[in-house]
Amino acid sequence: DLGTANTLIYVKGVGVVVDEPTLLAIQKSDRSIFTYGEEAKKLVGRVPDSIELVKPLRDGVISEIEYAEELVKTLLSKAIGRSYSRPRIIICVPNGVTSVEQRSIETAAHATGASEVFTIEEPMAAAIGANLQIFEPFGNMVIDIGGGTTEIAVISMGDVVNANSVRVGGEDMTDKLIEWLRSEHAMLVDEGIAESLKHAVGSAYQYDKEPQVTVTGRDIVKGVPKQVLLEASDVRNALTPVVNEIIEAVRISLSQTPPALVSDIDKYGAWLTGGGSMLKQLDRKIAEELGIPINMTEDPLSTVVVGSGICLERFEDYKSVLKSSDK
Ligand code: ADP
Ligand code: MG
């Protein structure tokens, strides 16, 4: 699962063996990889001018093809090691990628010595990972909120009936907080701090015992360290525009879905997944705004990779949802 924020790899019979941020630290002088993944994430906000942090799949599309390719190769060889020769690989990429980008990722997978390479649509993998009955004539709606994109799809009879993808996700929530702290509190914080703030007190709807939190950053005017005490409700208000954009996208999807399938969704609900869905009370907010039940998948960060894993484990049963990629 090559996500905009995280890349996960599942090995048949073993489970998830790689779970790393989709991030590279590049040595500017010769464009070589200094480090990647978790190690690179530790460097956010702390690198000298000679190093650049690259998110090759920012916004859900591959903006830096070569780096994305490099990361895929590195992580695949880490996952596969020497223990598997000529593996079968299923890759899951966001909907927004162009065919050229998709091709370059498939090439990277072939280059690791794969015997066969397949691709699977992300919402399909999410639906399988959530144990939905995708082959039934039934409206299965999946809302996958990733780092840079939200993908909404309705699946019935083993196929995507209707899909909608918007370039907004968890990282936009983080960016909103950075912006808000700057404009409302004249304070500068880096992405890491804003993300922790989002995880700790961010929410989409009022909840019990809302905490306060102290954030430390830099005073924009004086240039010195500064602390402010924030209310959970203020953080929620700052996040509202992003949350509303996601809800609007779901509303559009519902309006484009055939009535019989909408009535299934109305009765059994839509499934919410992806790391962005872990924003507190987001399920409640969507349910309230759209009047449909919302179910959360068990582990939103790994639903997609687990779905792809199920396709490997039960290859014959799921072959029909995969697309074969030639060398
Ligand atoms: P992608 O599939 O695009 O790689 P993920 O599904 O891995 O994205 O989700 C990553 C996003 O989830 C990040 O923006 C991260 O901040 C967000 N996220 C992870 N945990 C939480 C949490 N507890 N609360 C809010 N957002 C979260
Ligand atoms: Mg994802």
Side-chain angles (χ1 to χ4, degrees):
D1 169 16
L2 191 54
T4 60
N6 296 296
T7 298
L8 291 85
I9 301 181
Y10 180 109
V11 172
K12 186 181 174 187
V14 181
V16 178
V17 297
V18 168
D19 180 356
E20 299 265 4
T22 310
L23 182 67
L24 292 156
I26 304 297
Q27 201 102 47
K28 279 189 191 161
S29 55
D30 59 357
R31 311 303 294 165
S32 65
I33 296 177
F34 177 69
T35 188
Y36 64 88
E38 214 56 70
E39 288 301 313
K41 191 152 187 178
K42 286 186 196 151
L43 304 181
V44 170
R46 298 171 190 279
V47 290
D49 266 355
S50 58
I51 288 177
E52 184 188 354
L53 290 168
V54 177
K55 282 185 188 160
L57 271 94
R58 178 89 210 189
D59 295 336
V61 293
I62 306 173
S63 41
E64 315 250 4
I65 284 192
E66 286 105 58
Y67 293 131
E69 223 178 297
E70 208 56 48
L71 188 66
V72 168
K73 274 189 208 155
T74 308
L75 293 177
L76 273 178
S77 58
K78 183 176 164 189
I80 298 165
R82 288 186 197 84
S83 26
Y84 305 88
S85 61
R86 321 251 318 123
R88 170 185 283 155
I89 299 178
I90 300 175
I91 314 175
C92 186
V93 293
N95 255 329
V97 301
T98 65
S99 53
V100 174
E101 291 163 338
Q102 169 109 19
R103 196 64 215 146
S104 85
I105 294 305
E106 290 171 24
T107 306
H110 280 296
T112 61
S115 60
E116 292 172 290
V117 176
F118 296 90
T119 57
I120 181 169
E121 287 174 279
E122 215 164 50
M124 181 62 84
I128 296 169
N131 286 316
L132 306 188
Q133 302 302 309
I134 60 154
F135 293 114
E136 299 298 319
F138 178 85
N140 297 287
M141 178 177 253
V142 176
I143 305 163
D144 179 356
I145 307 173
T149 57
T150 294
E151 311 217 1
I152 303 146
V154 177
I155 294 164
S156 176
M157 297 178 75
D159 221 336
V160 174
V161 175
N162 147 48
N164 185 10
S165 166
V166 282
R167 298 262 172 94
V168 52
E171 285 175 14
D172 300 275
M173 297 179 195
T174 305
D175 291 346
K176 257 288 176 281
L177 289 183
I178 295 175
E179 228 174 79
W180 173 72
L181 287 168
R182 184 188 294 136
S183 60
E184 288 296 309
H185 295 280
M187 178 170 166
L188 203 64
V189 298
D190 66 36
E191 208 184 305
I193 289 177
E195 192 171 18
S196 309
L197 174 66
K198 177 182 75 174
H199 293 190
V201 300
S203 65
Y205 200 97
Q206 221 170 317
Y207 60 102
D208 277 350
K209 302 198 184 79
E210 295 194 342
Q212 294 176 317
V213 65
T214 304
V215 177
T216 306
R218 177 151 55 86
D219 189 312
I220 292 178
V221 183
K222 298 182 193 138
V224 295
K226 171 177 179 168
Q227 290 196 328
V228 292
L229 183 66
L230 301 173
E231 300 287 340
S233 55
D234 293 336
V235 177
R236 177 165 58 248
N237 290 339
L239 293 173
T240 298
V242 180
V243 169
N244 285 346
E245 243 184 284
I246 292 170
I247 293 173
E248 252 349 275
V250 180
R251 196 194 302 278
I252 290 170
S253 275
L254 282 169
S255 74
Q256 293 167 344
T257 303
L261 301 181
V262 170
S263 93
D264 294 337
I265 297 165
D266 188 39
K267 202 158 169 195
Y268 296 96
W271 267 261
L272 195 55
T273 190
S277 74
M278 292 160 78
L279 181 72
K280 282 186 255 306
Q281 304 283 74
L282 183 56
D283 49 347
R284 180 154 179 208
K285 173 79 175 172
I286 299 175
E288 184 121 325
E289 291 286 326
L290 301 178
I292 54 170
I294 298 288
N295 314 293
M296 289 287 289
T297 64
E298 206 169 296
D299 180 4
L301 287 163
S302 63
T303 309
V304 165
V305 83
V306 165
S308 316
I310 291 172
C311 295
L312 280 176
E313 304 282 1
R314 297 173 52 191
F315 188 72
E316 289 305 319
D317 295 343
Y318 286 97
K319 214 162 56 181
S320 62
V321 303
L322 304 175
K323 219 172 97 217
S324 169
S325 145
D326 302 324
K327 260 190 196 136

